[in-house]
Amino acid sequence: MIPEIGHFALIIAFCLAFVQTLVPLLGAQTHTAQWMAVAKPAARGQLLFIAISYACLTYSFIIDDFSVLYVANNSNTALPLHYKVSAVWGAHEGSLLLWVLMLGIWTVAVTVFSSSLPRDMVARVLGVMGFVSVGFLLFTLLTSNPFERIFPTPAEGRDLNPLLQDPGLVIHPPMLYMGYVGFSVAFAFAIAALLGGKLDSIWARWSRPWVISAWVSLTIGITLGSWWAYHELGWGGWWFWDPVENASFMPWLVGTALVHSLAVTDKRSSLKNWTVLLAILAFSLSLLGTFLVRSGVLVSVHAFATDPARGLYILIFLAVVVGGSLILYAIRAPYIKSSGQFEIFSRETALLINNVLLLVATLTILVGTLYPLFVSALNLPSLSVGKPYFDLVFSALTLPLVLVVGIGPFMRWKSTPINQVSKRLLKIAAIGLAIGLVLPVMVAGRNTILVTLGAALGAWSIMSAVYYLFKNIRLTEHGTHILHRIRKIPHAIWGMSVAHLGVGVFVLGVTFVSAFEQVRELPMQVGQEAELSGYLFRFDGVRDVQGPNYFSKQASVRVSKNGEPVALLLPEKRTYLVQQNPMTEAGIDSGFLRDVYVALGEQIDDRTWGMRLYYKPFVQWIWLGAMLMAAGGVLAASDRRYRLKLKRRRKAEAQDFHEQQVTAVS
Amino acid sequence: MIFTVVLLVGLSCAVALALYAMRQNIMLFHTPSEVVTGEVPGNRLFRLGGLVVAGSVIKADDGLTTDFGLTDLNQSITVRYTGLLPDLFREGQGIVAQGVLNEEGVFVAQEVLAKHDENYMPPEVAASLKEYRDSLPGSMAEYGYEAP
């Protein structure tokens, strides 16, 4: 009964989404107030019924209702409760339900925080979001119904994919989806602005916190995925350029560009066309990401659906959304006037360079990801584009980007006297270069040109961010207490500095771990010792461990350095009872400056096991840097100028004036 | 104006970079039959896919080097890999290896990929098997192979 209620609620949600699309959009076009007013209640009602549907599916998981096909395929009585709850999004059907739930939440958030916007704008935004929802709900109902029953009811479920039974992976998909779906808000705003023909900087100011929030979620989602791969796959890697990883990374890159170009449109009213295009692209790539992952077109660990009907549906939907919005853009874009002019040395140009580099990076990744697909579609010999391509292309584009990250904040809007800025920045650059030369020698006792470059750029962007903050503190309300001045600094400035600091931390981490990591693969006998980068690994043996739904071989490896004990690592090889897949759980001792990492291989004889040992300097900085970027986003989105009602815009303008002054004094 | 120039310069750099990197880093996929008939140029990194021949897996004394046969049901090639094999590597399974062919005709793999799903067959491997599967007397399971 419960699953049927869920199914029925989903159908009602679909009907409401349909109403939410059609009536307000027509109302906005014909200026009919009553029709426009339908948007809000329809959106809220839709969320209510999706939530009911979602709750029904979760309930079926909790009570082990294996008469529901989806539950039978993805759960088991022995599965711990928290994994039962997260198993709802463990495969295709449920994750779609999560997608529409997220979309519903974002839509209702828009209805709550849009009281200061013009009525027709709100109606159009909600209408466009309703349209996206219609597409996904119809897809779920027609091709991927999570409430389908099976008869006879199996006595036991087939269990959740063991790969997904990890705390990191419990939160990874929802965060990722929050980000993907969040870009739909910016998309809806862009389309609404194009439809209404009114594109002013209020539109940009309005979209900014939404875009930043979506971007933060996506950042956290991707970081968690990378962190999970590092822990769970036993290969010690943190990014594989797997097509599905790329699928989530491309919207992130375009989203990052969008965050920056919105700043230009908001503050200076220029680059409007470009910003609108980026908003369309960011969401299109989110849809493409969903398409690539869900259709099973790409071969990957993540691709669990391989039904051609689904692929076809998403392809058509994608064509309608992306094609439709690009056509609308092509018709309307020539009429959008950008007012602000700027010169070559200006903050606008710096942000523009940032945008171009990010977009170009996205394009090269898109080419590398889709090229093998095109080739196989043309029946040419099958080929693959591997990690070296992406490593080369991406680092070649990222290094100049990091250079601009350090310069941008010091540039003034409109035009910057270059010699004023350059004196200070050259000093920072010189110190950065010195750090680039010395730090690698301190870390690993050697250095190369590429490592110097990476370390110098990392240090450069950290120092420039810190210096920018410092300068702001110094220039705020002279003569007052330092803590008071720190509190007075707008969150936007904190946010930008923290995020740019994160970029530097990330670059340092990537540089050091890829240049100086050490790995040893060897067979180890019980009692044997092995040395790696000054750490001594002693293998004490393997014991059997019984988990709730798996049994495991757990090795015990004692790590010491210069005779001092460092850590006891317990790498495991798990075999899950139902799916019988062996899974590696690495034993890791994480530190601020290095990780030591042990993965257990196969058993060679009674007393000997294959072992993989890693020494990974600065690897935690990769995720630390990414989390700092996310924290910066949270700070920036919480800036008070976004919370001001339009009536009180004067205050916000005063704040703009403050920022202008701060940059002017530099 | 600035906008268009920056964009065009950026785009052309991207195209040049992508083409250069592609030329260096594309890996073709080949089947054991193609290797045996000499269609594969030597000294080039490529991907070899097929089924691990039952009973062919031999561990060397160092405990790390593994030799195994890889077949497309028509021809088979010896693959040598030094290092820990992936969790799901086993006889009869469809895998893809990445490496170079040495002078003795042994494929020296730098990487062995087996996916995290016991029922998974790499699509290139599945496609290459189609050709010879029907000529096999008896079912694939009789020979210890997993069907795609």
Side-chain angles (χ1 to χ4, degrees), chain A residues 299 360 384 521 573 579 584, chain B residues 14 27 29 64 83 87 118 120:
Chain A
V299 187
V360 164
S384 61
E521 286 186 328
K573 210 167 190 61
Q579 301 203 347
T584 303
Chain B
M27 254 172 303
F29 175 88
L64 276 184
D87 289 342
E118 56 184 328
Y120 177 82

Side-chain angles (χ1 to χ4, degrees), chain A residues 520-525 527-539 557-560 611 613:
Chain A
R520 250 185 103 176
E521 286 186 328
L522 74 169
M524 284 180 91
Q525 280 193 353
Q528 194 183 331
E529 290 179 338
E531 198 266 348
L532 181 74
S533 282
Y535 289 90
L536 198 66
F537 296 76
R538 189 192 145 86
F539 177 37
V557 177
R558 265 186 292 160
V559 186
S560 59
M611 289 273 186
L613 316 176

Side-chain angles (χ1 to χ4, degrees), chain A residues 79-80 82-83 86 89 160-173 224-233 574 576 583-586:
Chain A
L79 194 66
H82 53 283
Y83 288 132
S86 71
W89 59 78
L160 179 64
N161 185 343
L163 268 174
L164 305 181
Q165 299 186 23
D166 179 86
L169 224 61
V170 168
I171 356 174
H172 162 70
L224 281 173
S226 154
W227 188 78
W228 163 83
Y230 176 75
H231 281 254
E232 203 76 355
L233 296 181
R574 288 183 183 168
Y576 283 80
M583 283 282 311
T584 303
E585 293 275 328

Side-chain angles (χ1 to χ4, degrees), chain A residues 165-187:
Chain A
Q165 299 186 23
D166 179 86
L169 224 61
V170 168
I171 356 174
H172 162 70
M175 291 311 287
L176 212 57
Y177 279 18
M178 276 282 277
Y180 277 174
V181 181
F183 285 134
S184 73
V185 181
F187 171 80

Side-chain angles (χ1 to χ4, degrees), chain A residues 163-427:
Chain A
L163 268 174
L164 305 181
Q165 299 186 23
D166 179 86
L169 224 61
V170 168
I171 356 174
H172 162 70
M175 291 311 287
L176 212 57
Y177 279 18
M178 276 282 277
Y180 277 174
V181 181
F183 285 134
S184 73
V185 181
F187 171 80
F189 270 96
I191 297 296
L194 286 174
L195 283 173
K198 205 167 56 179
L199 220 119
D200 43 26
S201 41
I202 299 177
W203 163 77
R205 175 157 306 168
W206 233 90
S207 305
R208 275 181 89 179
W210 297 94
V211 171
I212 296 173
S213 313
W215 178 87
V216 166
S217 314
L218 196 55
T219 309
I220 296 174
I222 295 174
T223 311
L224 281 173
S226 154
W227 188 78
W228 163 83
Y230 176 75
H231 281 254
E232 203 76 355
L233 296 181
W235 290 93
W238 55 277
W239 192 260
F240 299 89
W241 295 110
D242 175 288
V244 172
E245 289 173 330
N246 295 347
S248 69
F249 193 43
M250 288 187 286
W252 187 86
L253 287 170
V254 176
T256 311
L258 179 61
V259 166
H260 290 86
S261 81
L262 271 172
V264 182
T265 309
D266 172 14
K267 294 281 181 76
R268 299 286 310 152
S269 263
S270 49
L271 299 185
K272 280 182 189 163
N273 276 332
W274 178 247
T275 305
V276 169
L277 185 62
L278 283 179
I280 294 174
L281 283 183
F283 185 60
S284 301
L285 284 169
S286 299
L287 284 183
L288 184 74
T290 313
F291 166 61
L292 289 180
V293 179
R294 295 294 165 231
S295 67
V297 168
L298 292 175
V299 187
S300 146
V301 204
H302 303 65
F304 19 73
T306 36
D307 179 346
R310 291 173 180 171
L312 192 67
Y313 181 97
I314 307 187
L315 201 59
I316 294 170
F317 183 61
L318 204 64
V320 170
V321 173
V322 180
S325 48
L326 287 178
I327 289 170
L328 182 67
Y329 176 77
I331 296 170
R332 288 294 170 94
Y335 303 104
I336 303 172
K337 291 277 175 289
S338 288
S339 52
Q341 298 292 315
F342 56 90
E343 291 172 16
I344 293 222
F345 293 108
S346 62
R347 191 182 273 198
E348 284 94 327
T349 312
L351 288 171
L352 188 58
I353 294 173
N354 144 305
N355 269 225
V356 170
L357 285 171
L358 285 168
L359 201 70
V360 164
T362 312
L363 279 179
T364 48
I365 294 174
L366 189 69
V367 168
T369 311
L370 294 186
Y371 184 59
L373 283 183
F374 283 124
V375 168
S376 70
L378 296 172
N379 273 326
L380 294 169
S382 104
L383 55 80
S384 61
V385 180
K387 199 168 162 24
Y389 166 83
F390 293 107
D391 279 346
L392 176 69
V393 171
F394 193 69
S395 40
L397 290 164
T398 313
L399 294 181
L401 185 64
V402 179
L403 193 67
V404 185
V405 162
I407 301 173
F410 295 94
M411 304 291 266
R412 277 158 52 183
W413 295 113
K414 216 169 167 187
S415 90
T416 309
I418 189 68
N419 44 354
Q420 274 184 25
V421 179
S422 61
K423 216 184 283 170
R424 294 264 167 71
L425 287 183
L426 278 176
K427 254 185 231 166

Side-chain angles (χ1 to χ4, degrees), chain B residues 51-95:
Chain B
L51 300 168
V52 179
V53 179
S56 72
V57 179
I58 302 161
K59 288 264 175 209
D61 291 338
D62 68 357
L64 276 184
T65 305
T66 313
D67 280 11
F68 57 90
L70 203 60
T71 181
D72 55 4
L73 304 178
N74 180 32
Q75 298 287 351
S76 81
I77 295 277
T78 304
V79 178
R80 181 166 302 147
Y81 178 70
T82 306
L84 301 185
L85 287 160
D87 289 342
L88 276 181
F89 178 89
R90 58 173 176 257
E91 294 181 352
Q93 219 208 1
I95 62 141

